[in-house]
Amino acid sequence: MRHAEFTTAIPALTPTSATAPTAPLSNGGGKFGGIFNEVEGEVSDFIQNGGGDFATSATLSAEGRMWAARSQGATAAVMGDGADTSPDQQAFLASIAPWAKEAADKLGVAPELVSAHAALESGWGQRPLRNADGSSTYNLFGIKANAGWRGNVAESATTEYVGGAALKTSARFRAYPDQASAFRDYAQMLIDNPRFHGALGAGNNAHAFAAGLAKGGYATDPAYAAKLSRLAGKLQNVSG
C-alpha cells in the first residue's frame, strides 16, 4: 500500500486505512467467492474513474452495486461517519491523547490531526498489529520495519494498492514496548524523512497535513489524503 517503509496492516473483513476501494471483504470459495471475484475489478474500476452513487449507477451490475455498498459500509465504520464519536472511539482518543499531543507539538500540527491518523491507520485501535504471541506492537501508524530499523519486528498481513487494485500481502512492521514509544518514533520519522516535510507545521490545517503525507508516499491509495483530512476535520469539530 505504501513506500517500502510504510504500510497499513489489514486483517480480514476490514477496510484499509485508505478505504476507497476497501480491501477485499472476502475471497472465499464457492459461489460466493466466484461472484466477488467477478465484480471486484468492476467496482475498483468504477471508483478509479470517478465513482458516483453506487446504489443508482447504471455502469455497475447489480452484484457490483451490492459489493460497492458493502464496501462503503465498512469504510464508514472505520471513518467514524456521523456527527459524533462513539463511546469506544472516545475511549481510544482518550487513551492516546497525551502521546498525540506530544507528537503534534513536535510536528507543529494540532493534536486532533495526529489522533485522526492513528484512528485511521488502526481502525480506532480495533485492528492493532500484534506480535507472534498475540501481544500488541503498539504500532498504530502502520510503519514498516525497513532495513535501518533496529527495534523489534512483527510480521503481519497487509493490503497494498497496485494500479488502484487492493492486493493482500505480508510485511514486517515495527514493534514498540508502549504507546509513548510508538508516537515518538512516528513523530521522529516524519521529521527525519524529507519526503514528509510538507506535512510539518500544518497547524490546524487538516487538508495540508493529509496532503503532505500523501504526497510524500505514506499511502498508495489515491483517496488517502481525502479520508485522513475528513476524519481529522471531524475530530476538530468534536473537540471544538
Side-chain angles (χ1 to χ4, degrees):
M1 177 173 183
R2 307 186 177 159
H3 180 276
E5 191 174 357
F6 319 104
T7 199
T8 302
I10 310 298
L13 282 172
T14 57
T16 72
S17 63
T19 49
T22 60
L25 299 179
S26 172
N27 59 357
K31 183 177 180 181
F32 180 80
I35 293 175
F36 176 81
N37 290 334
E38 289 177 8
V39 301
E40 180 182 16
E42 175 191 357
V43 174
S44 179
D45 289 344
F46 177 76
I47 296 170
Q48 284 293 103
N49 289 310
D53 187 340
F54 287 134
T56 60
S57 174
T59 64
L60 288 175
S61 66
E63 292 84 0
R65 289 194 295 273
M66 176 190 73
W67 278 107
R70 289 193 180 189
S71 172
Q72 281 191 320
T75 297
V78 172
M79 293 300 293
D81 284 355
D84 300 315
T85 50
S86 71
D88 286 345
Q89 291 168 351
Q90 292 169 14
F92 171 73
L93 294 174
S95 74
I96 65 172
W99 319 123
K101 185 180 186 309
E102 179 183 303
D105 288 344
K106 293 179 181 178
L107 298 173
V109 302
E112 292 84 5
L113 274 57
V114 174
S115 295
H117 201 188
L120 187 64
E121 287 289 336
S122 68
W124 296 92
Q126 298 303 304
R127 301 197 314 266
L129 286 162
R130 296 197 177 278
N131 294 301
D133 63 2
S135 61
S136 176
T137 66
Y138 298 100
N139 188 341
L140 297 178
F141 297 96
I143 304 175
K144 276 187 178 178
N146 60 4
W149 175 246
R150 295 293 179 262
N152 291 331
V153 171
E155 186 159 343
S156 179
T158 183
T159 296
E160 303 280 350
Y161 280 92
V162 179
L167 303 176
K168 289 184 178 179
T169 184
S170 63
R172 288 157 54 86
F173 294 87
R174 300 183 186 189
Y176 307 99
D178 49 44
Q179 284 189 339
S181 300
F183 277 83
R184 288 166 184 163
D185 183 58
Y186 162 77
Q188 198 60 51
M189 178 199 71
L190 295 185
I191 291 170
D192 291 344
N193 196 322
R195 295 205 323 271
F196 300 113
H197 284 182
L200 306 184
N204 291 316
N205 192 330
H207 176 75
F209 178 68
L213 291 176
K215 185 176 180 180
Y218 202 101
T220 56
D221 178 6
Y224 191 79
K227 293 164 188 172
L228 177 55
S229 178
R230 184 176 66 166
L231 183 53
K234 172 181 176 174
L235 295 192
Q236 288 176 316
N237 290 335
V238 170
S239 64

